[in-house]
Amino acid sequence: MEEIEFDLTLSIEPLDEKQKLILDLANGSRKPQNKDEEILLRQIKAIEKKGHMLDLSFE
């Protein structure tokens, strides 16, 4: 039987500033710093209240 090797290394690119902001607001590690962030947090909470998950594109 032939032995097969798999490359299981995972390359994760760093988050951009907007993605980090969204994650920090969503998990409560950051409080909104301005009106735009307050609006963003309300949108995040509305998504979660509906039972949906926040999905960020990493492409």
Side-chain angles (χ1 to χ4, degrees):
M1 180 177 226
E2 183 179 338
E3 190 172 313
I4 301 173
E5 286 188 36
F6 294 96
D7 180 6
L8 300 176
T9 57
L10 179 62
S11 174
I12 300 176
E13 295 185 27
L15 299 176
D16 69 26
E17 289 181 36
K18 184 80 168 190
Q19 290 170 324
K20 180 156 179 27
L21 171 66
I22 292 169
L23 289 175
D24 289 345
L25 287 171
N27 70 25
S29 65
R30 176 187 173 108
K31 293 184 179 182
Q33 305 293 312
N34 56 47
K35 190 88 168 164
D36 289 336
E37 290 182 15
E38 290 174 7
I39 293 169
L40 182 56
L41 182 57
R42 281 197 301 270
Q43 292 172 339
I44 292 168
K45 288 185 177 193
I47 291 168
E48 293 172 344
K49 187 175 182 179
K50 292 178 182 177
H52 300 289
M53 293 178 61
L54 192 60
D55 184 23
L56 298 177
S57 174
F58 291 96
E59 294 180 23

